[in-house]
């Protein structure tokens, strides 16, 4: 029996091979021995992260940027060479400032000189100062091109105006007529005084005649003597009639002189109006030429070149040359959202606007907040949402976006920034309720 027991381990070693012996004697790695615990800890850690990680609900929509005072594009009205540039890129300009001019048969500097003369004359003639026409003559301008015919026509009108208004003829005639009116007024005053004297003398003569008439009735004096006093009375009455006629003639002469003076004033007024109309017409022709050939700033702001521009460069009609960006512009966004999820949108919610022309991976997105929600849909059954942009056109990457009309964009409205744990719990609840 003891021999059998002693021979058992030897027999056992003979039955187990070396490979099996190696597997049996190998101690597993700790990750295998503790794997279940580690996996449980990882699951618990991920579940704890869902309590802190938030995942927002997003409603997508199309958007466009709107500016209350957008940059103004300046285009060429005509085709031709860009003869002169007065400005450089990023330069500040003022409204109506000339930025350059296009090729034309007229000399730009002569047109501007003529415009300055016209503006000066208009300011003076509106104050009835026509003497400036002799002290500030029309300059000789032979290179006005398209404006040459208008200029020569105005020259003729100016020459006629000078002959009638500035050589003193009308003024001298006016003074002469006013003196005649004063003389006639004095004559009338004298005639009125003589008339009063004659009326007083006639009253005395009437009294004397009545006294002698009574004497004649009483046969104190002869009828022939009464006739002499009656003849004197008739002579006084005739003198009064003549004086009345003289006063009437003086009134008629004064009226004729006044009428002549009014006619003279009307002639002067008509000539002034005619000249002023010709002056305004010339100014209008100059302004039309400037609008056609001169590049003018529509408002105050900063010049931004659309492309590199050089003098004598050929420009096509309608080609955009510059933008004038106002110093302060206000922007907002209009977002069109469908009916799905519309009830979750509220004023103040965050909006992320991504411009198609400015990839969000490189430029970022523009932050905004819902400011207004339309109550009525448009024709496409979408609702307009107005978005306020507190940072203007600056993205979350601190990049500035240049505004252009009709820039398309997409908008993401964050309606509910919920925890991931709440979302998982909600999904689990719905699954269990089925």
């Amino acid at each position: 029996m003891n021999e059998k027991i002693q021979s058992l381990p030897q027999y056992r070693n003979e039955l187990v091979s070396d490979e099996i012996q190696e597997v049996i004697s190998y101690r597993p790695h700790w990750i295998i021995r503790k794997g279940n615990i580690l996996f449980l800890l990882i699951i618990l850690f991920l579940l704890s992260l869902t309590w802190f990680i938030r995942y927002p609900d997003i409603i997508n929509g199309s958007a466009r940027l709107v500016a209350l005072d957008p940059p103004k594009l300046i285009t060429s009205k005509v085709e031709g060479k860009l003869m002169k540039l007065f400005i450089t890129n990023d330069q500040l300009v003022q409204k109506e400032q000339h930025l350059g001019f296009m090729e034309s048969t007229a000399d730009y500097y002569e047109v501007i000189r003529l415009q300055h003369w016209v503006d000066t004359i208009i300011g003076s003639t509106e104050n009835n100062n026509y003497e400036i026409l002799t002290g500030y003559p029309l300059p000789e301008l032979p290179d006005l091109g398209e404006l040459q015919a208008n200029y020569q026509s105005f020259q003729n009108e100016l020459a006629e105006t000078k002959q009638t208004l500035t050589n003193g003829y009308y003024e001298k005639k006016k003074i002469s007529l006013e003196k005649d009116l004063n003389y006639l007024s004095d004559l009338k005053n004298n005639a009125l005084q003589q008339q009063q004297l004659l009326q007083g003398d006639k009253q005395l003569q009437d009294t004397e005649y009545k006294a002698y008439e009574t004497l004649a009735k009483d046969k104190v004096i002869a009828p022939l003597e009464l006739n002499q006093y009656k003849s004197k009375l008739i002579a006084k009455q005739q003198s009064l009639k003549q004086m009345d006629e003289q006063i009437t003639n003086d009134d008629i002469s004064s009226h004729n002189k006044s009428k002549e003076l009014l006619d003279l004033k009307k002639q002067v007024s008509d000539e002034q109006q005619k000249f002023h109309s010709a002056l305004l017409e010339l100014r209008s022709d100059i302004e039309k030429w400037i609008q056609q050939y001169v590049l003018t700033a529509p408002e105050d702001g900063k010049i931004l070149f659309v492309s590199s521009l050089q003098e004598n460069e050929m420009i096509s009609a309608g080609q955009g040359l510059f933008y004038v960006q106002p110093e302060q512009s206000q922007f907002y966004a209009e977002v069109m959202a469908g009916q799905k999820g519309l009830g979750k949108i509220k004023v103040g919610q965050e909006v992320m606007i991504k411009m198609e022309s400015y990839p969000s991976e490189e430029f970022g997105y523009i932050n905004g907040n819902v400011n207004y929600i339309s109550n009525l849909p448009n024709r496409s059954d979408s609702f307009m949402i107005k978005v306020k942009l507190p940072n203007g056109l600056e993205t979350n990457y601190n990049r500035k976006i240049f505004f252009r009309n009709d820039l398309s964009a997409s908008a993401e409205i964050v309606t509910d920034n919920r925890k991931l744990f709440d979302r998982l719990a909600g999904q689990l609840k719905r699954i269990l309720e089925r």
Side-chain angles (χ1 to χ4, degrees):
M1 186 66 178
N2 293 333
E3 292 178 358
K4 290 181 179 180
I5 294 173
Q6 290 176 359
S7 62
L8 185 59
Q10 182 180 359
Y11 174 76
R12 187 172 53 206
N13 292 335
E14 290 178 357
L15 292 177
V16 179
S17 64
D18 295 339
E19 290 81 3
I20 295 174
Q21 185 69 32
E22 184 179 356
V23 171
I24 294 174
S25 62
Y26 176 74
R27 182 179 177 82
H29 195 272
W30 69 269
I31 196 170
I32 297 176
R33 291 182 286 113
K34 307 293 185 180
N36 292 335
I37 298 175
L38 180 62
F39 182 73
L40 178 61
L41 292 176
I42 292 174
I43 294 297
L44 292 176
F45 175 73
L46 292 177
L47 286 175
S48 64
L49 287 180
T50 61
W51 183 263
F52 300 99
I53 297 176
R54 293 180 176 271
Y55 185 78
D57 287 336
I58 291 177
I59 295 177
N60 297 313
S62 61
R64 72 182 186 97
L65 294 180
V66 181
L68 298 179
D69 190 11
K72 306 298 188 302
L73 177 63
I74 301 173
T75 61
S76 172
K77 302 289 193 309
V78 296
E79 182 177 359
K81 291 182 180 180
L82 178 60
M83 300 302 296
K84 189 70 177 178
L85 274 176
F86 299 130
I87 43 86
T88 58
N89 197 24
D90 292 331
Q91 178 179 332
L92 293 177
V93 296
Q94 296 179 345
K95 185 177 181 180
E96 303 299 331
Q97 180 178 337
H98 291 181
L99 312 177
F101 60 88
M102 300 295 295
E103 182 180 14
S104 170
T105 57
D107 184 278
Y108 165 81
Y109 298 99
E110 287 197 1
V111 174
I112 298 305
R113 186 180 175 190
L114 178 62
Q115 183 188 38
H116 177 72
W117 184 88
V118 169
D119 290 340
T120 302
I121 297 300
I122 287 178
S124 298
T125 54
E126 285 179 348
N127 296 322
N128 291 324
N129 179 20
Y130 286 87
E131 298 301 324
I132 192 174
L133 297 177
T134 56
Y136 187 41
L138 179 68
E140 293 292 332
L141 304 170
D143 295 325
L144 289 175
E146 297 90 348
L147 294 174
Q148 198 68 47
N150 309 80
Y151 171 76
Q152 291 174 353
S153 176
F154 176 76
Q155 273 186 320
N156 298 332
E157 183 63 35
L158 177 62
E160 183 178 348
T161 302
K162 282 184 175 181
Q163 290 177 358
T164 55
L165 296 180
T166 62
N167 62 0
Y169 168 76
Y170 280 106
E171 188 64 28
K172 290 177 182 177
K173 188 173 181 179
K174 176 184 174 183
I175 293 173
S176 177
L177 289 172
E178 288 175 347
K179 285 183 178 180
D180 289 345
L181 285 173
N182 290 331
Y183 292 150
L184 289 171
S185 178
D186 293 339
L187 288 174
K188 182 179 179 180
N189 290 332
N190 291 331
L192 290 173
Q193 291 176 0
Q194 292 179 14
Q195 186 184 45
Q196 290 177 354
L197 293 175
L198 286 173
Q199 286 177 347
D201 192 15
K202 179 180 173 298
Q203 288 176 356
L204 294 175
Q205 194 70 37
D206 284 338
T207 302
E208 186 178 4
Y209 174 74
K210 288 178 180 179
Y212 280 101
E213 187 179 24
T214 302
L215 293 174
K217 288 180 180 180
D218 295 338
K219 303 209 187 204
V220 176
I221 61 173
L224 184 61
E225 187 177 356
L226 180 62
N227 289 336
Q228 293 177 353
Y229 287 103
K230 187 176 182 179
S231 176
K232 290 181 181 180
L233 179 61
I234 292 173
K236 295 297 181 182
Q237 291 175 344
Q238 289 178 344
S239 297
L240 281 173
K241 289 290 184 183
Q242 291 175 355
M243 189 59 60
D244 290 339
E245 290 179 1
Q246 182 179 348
I247 292 173
T248 303
N249 289 332
D250 290 342
D251 288 338
I252 293 172
S253 298
S254 297
H255 177 73
N256 290 333
K257 291 296 180 180
S258 297
K259 184 178 179 182
E260 191 175 350
L261 183 61
L262 288 174
D263 291 339
L264 180 64
K265 290 180 178 180
K266 186 178 184 305
Q267 291 176 8
V268 173
S269 177
D270 290 344
E271 187 61 39
Q272 289 176 347
Q273 185 63 37
K274 185 179 177 182
F275 174 74
H276 196 63
S277 297
L279 200 61
L280 293 177
E281 184 178 357
L282 181 60
R283 183 173 71 173
S284 176
D285 294 332
I286 295 172
E287 290 176 350
K288 288 179 181 178
W289 185 91
I290 290 176
Q291 290 177 0
Q292 190 78 1
Y293 295 100
V294 180
L295 306 171
T296 307
E299 60 181 17
D300 298 347
K302 183 169 67 174
I303 286 291
L304 299 174
F305 281 30
V306 174
S307 61
S308 178
L309 294 175
Q310 301 293 332
E311 293 181 357
N312 295 319
E313 179 181 344
M314 286 298 300
I315 303 296
S316 59
Q319 179 178 340
L321 303 177
F322 323 103
Y323 277 99
V324 177
Q325 185 177 30
E327 294 184 4
Q328 290 185 351
S329 295
Q330 294 183 351
F331 303 93
Y332 65 93
E334 288 184 354
V335 177
M336 303 307 298
Q339 294 191 21
K340 185 177 180 180
L342 182 68
K344 299 169 65 176
I345 301 176
K346 295 179 176 58
V347 173
Q349 289 176 340
E350 182 184 358
V351 182
M352 296 177 289
I353 298 174
K354 299 178 180 180
M355 311 300 300
E356 293 184 4
S357 302
Y358 298 87
S360 58
E361 296 81 5
E362 180 180 354
F363 292 89
Y365 57 84
I366 301 174
N367 283 311
N369 300 100
V370 175
N371 191 39
Y372 168 79
I373 304 171
S374 174
N375 293 323
L376 299 174
N378 58 12
R379 294 180 179 178
S380 60
D381 206 22
S382 298
F383 290 81
M384 191 274 288
I385 299 171
K386 188 174 179 181
V387 177
K388 182 181 180 181
L389 306 177
N391 298 324
L393 299 185
E394 184 176 348
T395 68
N396 61 324
Y397 287 178
N398 298 323
R399 300 285 297 272
K400 282 283 189 179
I401 291 178
F402 181 72
F403 177 84
R404 293 179 177 87
N405 290 324
D406 300 326
L407 282 178
S408 58
S410 61
E412 297 179 355
I413 305 173
V414 181
T415 59
D416 190 4
N417 197 10
R418 293 192 296 167
K419 298 177 182 179
L420 189 58
F421 180 83
D422 295 336
R423 292 179 177 275
L424 293 175
Q427 292 290 340
L428 182 59
K429 182 179 179 181
R430 281 194 292 270
I431 292 173
L432 294 176
E433 288 177 349
R434 290 179 181 178

